[in-house]
Every structure is written in C-alpha cells, then in structure tokens.
Amino acid sequence: MKTLIFFLWVFLLLPSSLSAQWEILNDGANSNSLILNGYERPFVDFISRDTGWIAQETKLFKTTDGGKRWTSLANGRSLSIKSIDFIDSLRGWIATSSGIYCTHDGGKSWVLKMDGDFSNAKVIVNNDTTVYITEKSKILKTS
C-alpha cells in the first residue's frame, strides 16, 4: 500500500504541484486591458511582483498592481521603444530608434543620453551608475 501511495504521489500529485501557475493579465476584452498591436513584440520589465512596465513601439504603460490595471505614460517624443530596463520604481532606461534615454520619474519624462539608432539594442541596467547596451556586435558600458 505504501508503494502504491508513493507512486501515485510521484506520478500524479508531484508534477502538478511543481508546474507553474499562469494567470492571464491582459485579454484585450476589458477596459483595464492594454491596447497592443499584434505586429510588434512588446518589451516587459518588472522590478517587483507589483510594479512593472510594458512598451510597444511608442506606447508605454506602467502597473503597480501586478498587471491588473495599466496606466499609459506619454513619452512626449513619440519614441519608438525597442528595449526597456528599470532598477527601481523611478529610474529606468530605454533603447529607441533615435537614441538611449533615461528617466528618474518612473517613465513620465525621458532624457536623451546617447544619440543614434538603437533599434536592435538591449538595455541592461546593472545598478545606479552602470548600464550595458548590446547592439549587434557591440557592447557599450556607462559608469
């Protein structure tokens, strides 16, 4: 009997308890949903369980409740966002087709830090003073 219980636990109960539980946060059907197009891949960055951003082309949204509701952030320049990374609720960086920008107010406003086309770049913020940017065969670092 113990062997049977062990095998039932290993083959039936254990796999279901180890699998990830997924929750649909945006189905496009309610007023709190994001309005994203199906053509461009969105870029997502969460700094905690509740606080995160999602960017797609010139649209930028922020959540503070784990993705249940999203607030649109106007970037003021129609920046075509290609990568996003935040280190806390206020400080973050984006790579765009017109340069690298940073924010110190959670994404409400952006300051140009490096001019150029970074359409294929990935921004990785290491800490308050170090940012890495990878683009094609280049790796850039600021400190």
Side-chain angles (χ1 to χ4, degrees):
M1 184 67 166
K2 289 181 183 179
T3 305
L4 177 62
I5 292 173
F6 175 76
F7 281 110
L8 286 174
W9 181 76
V10 167
F11 291 107
L12 297 177
L13 300 176
L14 184 61
S16 65
S17 66
L18 294 177
S19 65
Q21 301 299 314
W22 291 93
E23 176 185 358
I24 297 173
L25 295 178
N26 177 48
D27 62 5
N30 64 56
S31 62
N32 293 327
S33 294
L34 299 172
I35 307 300
L36 300 174
N37 71 49
Y39 304 107
E40 291 292 327
R41 173 177 57 112
F43 300 95
V44 179
D45 185 45
F46 273 78
I47 57 162
S48 70
R49 179 182 180 109
D50 292 324
T51 304
W53 295 260
I54 188 164
Q56 186 182 50
E57 284 299 315
T58 60
K59 298 175 186 174
L60 179 63
F61 300 90
K62 181 179 181 180
T63 184
T64 56
D65 62 6
K68 292 182 180 88
R69 286 182 302 276
W70 295 87
T71 302
S72 177
L73 301 172
N75 63 37
R77 292 189 171 100
S78 297
L79 301 172
S80 182
I81 302 169
K82 303 302 181 181
S83 177
I84 186 168
D85 196 18
F86 276 77
I87 58 171
D88 60 32
S89 64
L90 297 175
R91 297 171 296 167
W93 291 72
I94 57 174
T96 74
S97 58
S98 60
I100 302 294
Y101 293 80
C102 75
T103 183
H104 289 21
D105 60 11
K108 294 176 188 169
S109 63
W110 296 91
V111 176
L112 178 66
K113 290 298 185 178
M114 185 184 307
D115 202 10
D117 183 357
F118 290 91
S119 295
N120 297 310
K122 170 79 174 139
V123 175
I124 303 162
V125 181
N126 190 40
N127 57 42
D128 191 30
T129 59
T130 307
V131 177
Y132 293 92
I133 300 166
T134 61
E135 192 206 14
K136 298 179 183 173
S137 62
K138 293 185 235 174
I139 301 174
L140 306 171
K141 176 186 171 188
T142 184
S143 56

